[in-house]
Every structure is written in C-alpha cells, then in structure tokens.
Amino acid sequence: MKLSRQFVAVGASALTVGAALVAPQLSGSQPADRPAATGATTTSSPASAERRDDFVVVGHRGASGYRPEHTLASYELAARMGADFVEPDLVTTKDHVLVTRHEPEIGGTTDVAAHPEFASRKKTKTLDGVAVTGWFTEDFTLKELKTLRATERIPAVRQHNTVFNGRYQIPTLQEVIDLTKRLSRELNRPIGIYPETKHPTYFQQQGLALEPELVKVLNRNGLNRAGAKVYVQSFEVANLKALDKQLRVPLVQLTSSSGAPYDFVVAGDKRTYADVVSARGLQEVATYADGVGPAKDQVIPVDATGKLGTPTALVRDAHRAGLVVHPYTFRVENSFLPVNFRSSAVAADSGDLFGEIAAYRKAGIDGLFSDNADIAVAAAAESR
C-alpha cells in the first residue's frame, strides 16, 4: 500500500497555463489499488513536456497571497496560475457537511462578528489543549454558514486582499471538487485536490469525525481510486493510519518544527514531531503514508542571524524511506522569508521568493505549498 518516491503531477507557468495531461502509471511492484508514483506520462504537445517535470506545486489555501483564503475565488486563481493542486482545509458544520476553513474558529476569517443573530454563538472551547474564544463551524448549519462572507485573515500584511472582503461564501468540499472538475476541462489539464483533515481528534470527540465524510465525498466523486489526482494530509497520525485502510490515494504526514501530534498527546505517547521526522520515524511513516509535509525550517533551518542555514537530513531520510517531501509554506512577503531573502525591513513588501524556492529545490524537495502559486510555478519552470 505504498507509493514510490515520486507522484506524477503537472507543472505550468502562470503565463502558460497550458494543455498537459498526466496519467500516473502502475509499476509492477505496486499493488493494483494504489497509484504508482513513477512511470511514463502522456502530454498533449512537445511544448507541454518541456514545461513540466514531476515537481508538485500546491496552491496553499488556494492563491491566498491574492484572495481571501479558502474561497472558490482563491482556489480558481491558484489553478489558473498553474498550480497542480489546490488545498482545502476541512472542518465540519453542525449538520456534518465538510467545509473549507483553516480552523473551526471563524471569527478571524469571516464577518460572523457583524451578524447580531449569531452573537450568542460566541464561545470559548479547548482546541487541541488550548482555550480558543470565537465562533466555531460545528455550531452552525451549512445554511447558516452560507449567510457569512469570507474576510482576509492577515490584513496588516495583505491589505490588498481586503478589497475582496465580504464577496465570497465559505465553500463546501463538494463545491471545491466541482470547481476543479470544471477547471480541469477548461484548462485541459488535471487540477488536483490536497485536502487536510483539521484537528481530527477535536472533531472525533464531538461526534463529528471528519474522516467518514471525507471518504464518502471522495467515493461519490470517483476520486477514491488509483491515479486520482488527490493527496490527503493530516498533522495527526491515527487518522492517517485508519484512512490508509480506506483510501486508494496517497497520504501525507504533516509535521511541525515544534510540538507533537495531538493524538499522541491524548494517548500519552511522548513522541514529538522531531521524532516523527527522524530517520527511524520516517521509516514508520512509510508504513501508512506516501509522503511527509514538514514545516520548511525542518528541511532548511534558519541560523542565529535569521538567514537560511544548512539543510537537515530530512529529505535524504524521507527519500530513503520512499516518501515524497512537500514542505510548507512559501510566501513572498518579507515577514515570511529568511533574512537573506528579504527586500527591505517592511514586513508586507515582497522579497526574493524565487531565491528561497531555488534553495529548497537544491535540497531535493519534491514539491511545496505556496500562497503565491504563480511564483512557485515560474520558479519550478526556471529550475528545469
């Protein structure tokens, strides 16, 4: 039930969102129910072959550097910029419909606070051991959530995105899939989805587990099959192990530069994310997942001066275990870049994201998550 080191994907620049179709091929060593990661590909033209390798560009929450995150407008823009996949973070409604928000708390990403009819819904809940106050998706029906509108999460850094505040609804996972199907036909290349199950233990404890609904939606759309352009990711471990028995698409273990999987915490397991990305830990990840999605500083940490330092052994160890490596998150603003790639002391100014991506590609990563899909696609094209 394992993929080998590469999973076929499409690359195209923002100016040439061109015609390319990739069909993952089964190799003799792979079980028939899971897609092989390597093999021949078909292309619609010689030019498309020249523009593409198997490097994966994921539109992180869509094109969230240019539109409020997790909106259909953000996902569509990422696809049109050339992203191979769009990433919907999954939470659930009270009536158990999967919708896309970065967190179940939506006070910071919608106009819910401006709706007096929902004032009494504001609560303080414990989310992965931390007290959080706000409005939570699981306290709203889908019909109620659809009355809200998305807003920019970090307006101080992305003030230009606030122009689009109040214009977009909260999408369902089904709406995201419908969008990618339409865009795949229009752009003549497959646009994939890379959903993340957010806070699985939290939702399981409320009797609103995300995983059964995710499997249902993928099955209903014919996406739970070998070769479907889908990855499923999680910061927790137990739910990925369970999904490995139910899904035929690649799974990705997300990790962080600090802390531990929350299901480990609940179970009293003392292992941390640092243990997960150790050589031994990655060998275990390979028993249930096909890739690892580390924080980018787990691949190349910054030094004491804030400059990009020396690569760790993570990529080498992951590849030895047969895992692809898709780090997060690559953003153009100075506030998110190492010191040596910043253009100024102004946090919101654009820095040298091209340079940062080049350094990580040199370290051997197989793909990345970016808020700026156009830059990531162009950088990938330059390195071919």
Side-chain angles (χ1 to χ4, degrees):
M1 299 279 289
K2 275 260 316 97
L3 289 176
S4 54
R5 202 170 75 75
Q6 301 291 336
F7 183 70
V8 174
V10 174
S13 75
L15 297 178
T16 56
V17 182
L21 181 62
V22 178
Q25 304 293 315
L26 290 173
S27 69
S29 63
Q30 296 292 329
D33 66 340
R34 290 293 281 270
T38 60
T41 64
T42 60
T43 62
S44 59
S45 69
S48 67
E50 293 173 3
R51 289 197 305 269
R52 193 189 70 244
D53 63 10
D54 52 11
F55 191 78
V56 173
V57 173
V58 185
H60 184 246
R61 310 175 197 172
S64 51
Y66 311 103
R67 297 290 187 275
E69 66 190 32
H70 292 310
T71 59
L72 292 181
S74 182
Y75 299 132
E76 177 163 359
L77 183 57
R80 292 188 181 281
M81 286 178 162
D84 305 306
F85 293 81
V86 296
E87 184 215 21
D89 290 342
L90 302 180
V91 295
T92 185
T93 65
K94 183 178 183 179
D95 45 347
H96 220 173
V97 179
L98 295 181
V99 295
T100 70
R101 289 288 90 189
H102 178 52
E103 294 289 340
E105 199 290 303
I106 55 174
T109 59
T110 73
D111 62 357
V112 64
H115 286 251
E117 68 273 25
F118 297 136
S120 64
R121 306 279 179 97
K122 189 174 186 180
K123 299 177 181 178
T124 298
K125 297 190 178 188
T126 300
L127 183 62
D128 291 4
V130 178
V132 176
T133 299
W135 292 263
F136 296 81
T137 58
E138 68 270 17
D139 294 330
F140 294 78
T141 65
L142 178 62
K143 183 178 180 180
E144 289 172 331
L145 279 184
K146 285 294 188 179
T147 67
L148 307 180
R149 294 296 180 269
T151 58
E152 172 55 36
R153 184 177 59 88
I154 47 174
V157 176
R158 292 175 174 165
Q159 195 277 333
H160 57 283
N161 283 11
T162 64
V163 171
F164 299 96
N165 284 353
R167 283 170 167 76
Y168 309 124
Q169 293 182 338
I170 297 175
T172 64
L173 174 59
Q174 184 60 57
E175 288 172 331
V176 177
I177 292 172
D178 291 343
L179 174 69
T180 59
K181 287 181 177 180
R182 175 176 66 80
L183 290 174
S184 295
R185 293 190 297 269
E186 180 181 337
L187 300 175
N188 195 30
R189 63 183 183 86
I191 309 300
I193 59 168
Y194 206 130
E196 178 188 345
T197 57
K198 298 294 295 190
H199 305 288
T201 294
Y202 170 79
F203 283 113
Q204 288 165 13
Q205 291 171 339
Q206 299 182 76
L208 291 169
L210 304 173
E211 296 78 16
E213 296 305 308
L214 173 58
V215 173
K216 286 180 186 177
V217 174
L218 294 179
N219 284 338
R220 185 169 68 237
N221 287 276
L223 294 175
N224 187 9
R225 58 178 175 79
K229 202 170 176 76
V230 178
Y231 284 94
V232 173
Q233 55 178 332
S234 178
F235 276 101
E236 295 188 18
V237 175
N239 74 321
L240 283 182
K241 288 184 175 180
L243 286 170
D244 185 43
K245 297 177 174 62
Q246 301 174 68
L247 294 182
R248 301 167 67 192
V249 299
L251 307 179
V252 173
Q253 178 65 66
L254 297 173
T255 65
S256 175
S257 53
S258 63
Y262 190 63
D263 57 317
F264 281 11
V265 175
V266 171
D269 189 326
K270 300 301 183 183
R271 288 177 295 168
T272 66
Y273 284 122
D275 296 313
V276 174
V277 298
S278 68
R280 182 176 179 179
L282 290 167
Q283 290 289 339
E284 180 179 344
V285 170
T287 65
Y288 62 86
D290 310 285
V292 60
K296 62 183 183 179
D297 58 353
Q298 293 181 288
V299 176
I300 310 179
V302 295
D303 62 22
T305 68
K307 295 181 179 179
L308 202 62
T310 302
T312 68
L314 189 154
V315 172
R316 180 199 66 196
D317 292 340
H319 287 171
R320 286 178 177 175
L323 300 167
V324 295
V325 182
H326 298 164
Y328 65 91
T329 304
F330 291 80
R331 297 170 165 123
V332 75
E333 294 90 357
N334 285 325
S335 58
F336 301 114
L337 288 166
V339 168
N340 49 323
F341 292 102
R342 295 176 186 172
S343 62
S344 71
V346 179
D349 281 356
S350 296
D352 184 13
L353 181 55
F354 280 95
E356 185 189 35
I357 291 174
Y360 278 83
R361 289 217 65 173
K362 187 176 180 180
I365 64 172
D366 305 292
L368 55 79
F369 292 80
S370 180
D371 290 5
N372 308 94
D374 52 348
I375 298 173
V377 168
E382 284 184 2
S383 67
R384 292 170 191 142

